[in-house]
């Protein structure tokens, strides 16, 4: 195997087993599925040109690509099913594009067994990419990983019934473009920026799905300690799974807790109304092995971020696209097995007080006090805004973000989103004129909300976003972060600090391009970066 799609890739790329835990077989099956999905996209493009839009194919394309994102699915049997389903859909859709001659992945036939599929996957992995120009290869891989992030946002929105035919068409067009062998460097760069623009639409659609269904997040105090009683822990990102589980556990004497990126769910009016939505447990995804093992109830894993659950395999359940061999997978919104397991487990013996944190400072909440914010800036009470967010991870160097926030002057505001906030989410930073200095915008899925805040501030101050007293200090881990970075570049946002390490798939020449055109820079030390950013 060879995989370098995430930040923790070992020594520039995992070659024997993924640091994430995926095996050589799983990695190869993912590579084969991704290759075939690009072929399915080619056929979907031809069918669309002939007048046929296939909703099932569109949805499947996003689901299949999302399944190959880091820490989503480790179940080889599920990948075999997806591979076969992909080919079946592809062949059926070809009848809607008569007279078109296909080649490559659009005609590729997978083997009949796992060893054969694994061998085929190796043929179409990164190491065997036919692209010989390392910079072009770097840009195409960046595009591919960005599209994996886009796929996640498309799927999240589709789960709530929000879809966009043009979005699917653009997504499939870019997937197919990664197969091109005659793209110039300029065309590859433009494809990456187009991926960013497509991702903005995907995030906009997801924002509409979440807020239309569950209301706009409101500033909400969330309990970090336990409440005595039976318990279920929900991790991942999916709001609908949480909503359904809350409905199905009403009156059963079970308290529901969030973990990781589910923390911001406490700010949504239609979710926080449940009295047994008890609070938040634990921190970021990479600490789950210890935190899950100590949780006295059942665990529901939605979307991505799962790690090897062997020490609590009987207590964890997967749903949606998540998969781990041996873990019970629940589907059709029936969480009966999760509930029964929680009732059979001891639960928390007593209440505990571990303080609280505030969530719910999404765009509506922040812009509702925009006048106060603008006045504070003009009066000199607020000197600067820092968006400190992104993915958390286990590699050394991430304490930088804790120190940065702790050392940020008291006349600065910290906006944060995604699981990177767990480095400092419980810090008591005080307020400026009643405005909390630490504002939790939400999940990584809520990056659109942060962008809208920045755009609204730029409009209010009648300036360009890059002229605002705003600096982005980001951490990355997986492919959703790549998609968000491409979106920021597509918006023309410059001067981003990125860490804790730069992606292994970025070549020196591509990095130089980003530095010269966008002034992207790796993080240094908190003191050095604060001094530079505050000028």
């Amino acid at each position: 195997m060879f995989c370098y799609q995430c930040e923790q890739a070992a020594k520039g790329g995992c070659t024997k087993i993924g640091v994430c835990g995926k095996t050589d077989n799983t990695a190869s099956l993912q590579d084969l599925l991704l290759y075939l999905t690009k072929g399915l996209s080619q056929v979907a493009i031809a069918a669309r040109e002939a007048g046929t839009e296939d909703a099932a194919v569109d949805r499947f394309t996003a689901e299949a690509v999302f399944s190959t994102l880091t820490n989503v699915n480790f179940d080889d049997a599920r990948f075999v099913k997806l591979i076969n389903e992909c080919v079946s859909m592809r062949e059926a859709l070809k009848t809607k594009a008569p007279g078109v001659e296909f080649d490559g992945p659009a005609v590729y036939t997978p083997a009949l067994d796992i060893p054969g599929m694994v061998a085929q996957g190796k043929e179409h992995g990164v190491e065997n990419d036919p692209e010989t120009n390392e910079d072009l290869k770097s840009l195409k891989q960046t595009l591919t990983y960005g599209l994996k992030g886009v796929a996640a946002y498309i799927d999240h929105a589709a789960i709530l019934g929000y879809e966009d035919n043009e979005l699917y068409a653009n997504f499939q067009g870019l997937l197919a473009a990664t197969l091109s062998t005659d793209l110039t460097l300029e065309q590859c760069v433009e494809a990456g920026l187009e991926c960013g623009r497509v991702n903005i639409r995907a995030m906009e659609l997801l924002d509409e799905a979440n807020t239309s269904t569950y209301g706009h997040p409101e500033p909400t105090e969330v309990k970090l300690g336990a409440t005595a009683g039976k318990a279920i822990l929900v991790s991942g990102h999916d709001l609908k799974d949480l909503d359904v589980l809350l409905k199905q556990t009403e009156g059963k004497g079970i308290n529901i807790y969030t973990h990781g990126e589910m923390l911001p769910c406490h700010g949504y009016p239609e979710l926080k109304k449940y009295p047994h939505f008890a609070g938040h447990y634990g921190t970021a995804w990479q600490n789950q092995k210890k935190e899950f093992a100590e949780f006295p109830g059942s665990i529901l894993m939605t979307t991505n971020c799962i790690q090897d659950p062997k020490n609590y395999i009987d207590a964890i359940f997967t749903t949606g696209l998540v998969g781990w061999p041996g873990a019970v997978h629940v589907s059709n919104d029936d969480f009966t097995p999760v509930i029964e397991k929680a009732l059979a487990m001891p639960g928390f013996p007593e209440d505990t007080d571990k303080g609280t944190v505030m969530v719910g400072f999404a765009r509506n909440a922040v812009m509702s006090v925009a006048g106060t914010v603008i006045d504070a800036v003009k009066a000199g009470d607020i000197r600067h805004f820092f968006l400190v967010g992104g993915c958390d991870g286990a590699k050394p160097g991430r304490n930088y973000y804790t120190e940065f926030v702790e050392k940020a002057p008291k006349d600065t505001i910290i906006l944060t989103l995604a699981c990177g906030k767990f480095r400092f989410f419980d810090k008591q930073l005080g307020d400026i004129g009643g405005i909390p200095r630490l504002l939790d915008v939400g999940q990584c899925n809520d990056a659109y909300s942060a962008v809208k805040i920045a755009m609204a501030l730029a409009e209010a101050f009648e300036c360009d976003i890059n002229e605002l007293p705003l600096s982005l200090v980001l951490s990355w881990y997986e492919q959703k972060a790549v998609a968000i970075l491409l979106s920021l570049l597509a918006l023309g946002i410059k001067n981003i600090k990125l860490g804790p390490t730069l992606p292994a798939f970025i070549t020196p020449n591509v990095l130089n391009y980003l530095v010269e055109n966008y002034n992207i820079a790796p993080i240094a030390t908190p003191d050095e970066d604060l001094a530079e950013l505050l000028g």
Side-chain angles (χ1 to χ4, degrees):
M1 68 177 288
F2 180 82
C3 181
Y4 62 179
Q5 70 176 2
C6 80
E7 184 263 342
Q8 68 179 1
K11 297 180 180 179
C14 297
T15 57
K16 294 182 179 179
I17 188 170
V19 175
C20 66
K22 70 179 176 183
T23 64
D24 175 65
N25 278 11
T26 304
S28 297
L29 291 171
Q30 289 182 355
D31 287 340
L32 179 59
L33 175 61
L34 183 62
Y35 180 65
L36 291 169
T37 305
K38 292 177 180 181
L40 176 60
S41 294
Q42 290 177 316
V43 177
I45 292 167
R48 191 174 287 110
E49 290 174 350
T52 295
E53 180 83 39
D54 192 311
V57 167
D58 291 345
R59 180 74 182 274
F60 176 86
T61 306
E63 291 176 344
V65 174
F66 185 13
S67 293
T68 69
L69 189 144
T70 300
N71 291 86
V72 175
N73 187 10
F74 296 80
D75 191 334
D76 290 354
R78 297 262 299 279
F79 279 113
V80 170
K81 182 179 178 181
L82 287 168
I83 287 168
N84 289 327
E85 189 174 354
C86 183
V87 172
S88 177
M89 284 189 162
R90 183 193 72 191
E91 294 307 302
L93 191 57
K94 282 181 182 178
T95 64
K96 305 299 181 181
V100 179
E101 293 188 10
F102 297 103
D103 57 14
V107 298
Y108 196 83
T109 301
L112 298 177
D113 56 16
I114 288 180
M117 289 181 178
V118 167
Q120 290 176 322
K122 292 180 187 301
E123 294 175 2
H124 299 287
V126 175
E127 283 190 307
N128 290 318
D129 189 326
E131 182 59 68
T132 57
N133 183 300
E134 288 302 312
D135 296 326
L136 286 171
K137 180 177 178 178
S138 172
L139 289 167
K140 286 183 179 180
Q141 291 302 321
T142 302
L143 173 58
T144 296
Y145 301 148
L147 289 169
K148 290 190 180 191
V150 176
Y153 297 129
I154 290 175
D155 182 65
H156 293 321
I159 286 171
L160 290 173
Y162 285 74
E163 300 182 79
D164 180 339
N165 289 341
E166 184 178 356
L167 176 59
Y168 282 125
N170 292 333
F171 174 70
Q172 291 165 342
L174 288 170
L175 266 179
T178 63
L179 297 167
S180 299
T181 57
D182 58 354
L183 294 180
T184 64
L185 284 170
E186 292 75 15
Q187 288 172 324
C188 281
V189 169
E190 176 53 34
L193 296 176
E194 178 61 15
C195 178
R197 290 186 281 269
V198 170
N199 188 56
I200 291 170
R201 173 56 186 147
M203 291 192 299
E204 178 186 40
L205 192 65
L206 176 57
D207 179 88
E208 181 185 1
N210 286 339
T211 57
S212 296
T213 308
Y214 302 112
H216 284 276
E218 304 166 342
T220 303
E221 190 174 27
V222 183
K223 180 181 178 181
L224 297 179
T227 298
K230 305 293 185 177
I232 295 175
L233 184 63
V234 185
S235 192
H237 300 79
D238 195 89
L239 273 61
K240 183 182 178 183
D241 286 333
L242 175 61
D243 181 34
V244 174
L245 182 64
L246 285 165
K247 287 184 173 71
Q248 292 182 7
T249 49
E250 282 188 288
K252 296 184 183 295
I254 302 174
N255 292 313
I256 307 299
Y257 298 84
T258 54
H259 179 270
E261 287 260 51
M262 297 300 286
L263 169 62
C265 295
H266 291 274
Y268 286 91
E270 291 301 309
L271 295 176
K272 69 177 186 176
K273 68 183 182 181
Y274 294 95
H276 61 302
F277 194 18
H280 186 79
Y281 170 91
T283 52
W285 69 273
Q286 78 276 4
N287 301 319
Q288 69 186 252
K289 288 186 178 181
K290 179 178 185 297
E291 293 170 352
F292 286 6
E294 295 173 351
F295 188 75
S298 58
I299 303 158
L300 179 64
M301 199 75 210
T302 74
T303 66
N304 57 312
C305 295
I306 191 171
Q307 290 184 297
D308 185 355
K310 63 176 176 290
N311 293 331
Y312 40 87
I313 192 69
D314 293 336
I316 195 168
F317 299 81
T318 62
T319 191
L321 299 178
V322 187
W324 191 280
V328 174
H329 189 78
V330 293
S331 56
N332 301 319
D333 292 337
D334 182 3
F335 296 120
T336 301
V338 185
I339 295 168
E340 290 177 345
K341 184 64 179 180
L343 291 172
M345 294 184 73
F348 288 103
E350 59 185 8
D351 292 357
T352 58
D353 183 4
K354 294 187 177 182
T356 62
V357 293
M358 290 293 294
V359 301
F361 295 100
R363 58 188 174 89
N364 261 35
V366 173
M367 297 322 299
S368 69
V369 294
T372 304
V373 172
I374 292 166
D375 289 344
V377 173
K378 290 180 177 179
D381 297 328
I382 296 177
R383 181 176 20 157
H384 206 83
F385 298 88
F386 294 107
L387 175 58
V388 185
C391 312
D392 203 3
K395 266 190 176 182
R398 289 183 178 269
N399 284 338
Y400 164 96
Y401 298 94
T402 310
E403 293 178 28
F404 187 98
V405 168
E406 290 176 335
K407 292 181 176 181
K410 295 188 183 301
D411 58 356
T412 62
I413 297 284
I414 310 295
L415 299 165
T416 189
L417 51 74
C419 61
K421 66 171 155 273
F422 286 105
R423 295 283 167 170
F424 49 80
F425 80 125
D426 55 352
K427 301 292 181 184
Q428 301 302 313
L429 302 182
D431 66 90
I432 300 175
I435 302 168
R437 286 194 56 229
L438 181 60
L439 300 175
D440 186 348
V441 178
Q443 300 179 334
C444 61
N445 295 4
D446 298 313
Y448 177 78
S449 199
V451 168
K452 293 296 287 185
I453 291 171
M455 293 174 71
L457 288 174
E459 182 178 350
F461 285 107
E462 298 182 344
C463 68
D464 182 84
I465 286 182
N466 291 310
E467 296 172 332
L468 284 171
L470 168 68
S471 299
L472 277 63
V473 183
L474 307 181
S475 56
W476 85 284
Y477 174 75
E478 40 90 320
Q479 298 84 67
K480 282 188 279 187
V482 177
I484 292 170
L485 179 60
L486 291 174
S487 293
L488 295 175
L489 299 182
L491 290 168
I493 295 176
K494 299 182 178 182
N495 307 314
I496 298 170
K497 296 287 185 184
L498 184 64
T501 56
L502 296 178
F505 49 84
I506 297 293
T507 62
N509 286 337
V510 172
L511 178 59
N512 287 339
Y513 175 87
L514 294 174
V515 171
E516 291 172 4
N517 289 276
Y518 296 95
N519 199 31
I520 285 182
I523 58 173
T525 67
D527 290 324
E528 290 172 322
D529 289 341
L530 280 166
E532 176 190 341
L533 296 172
L534 290 172

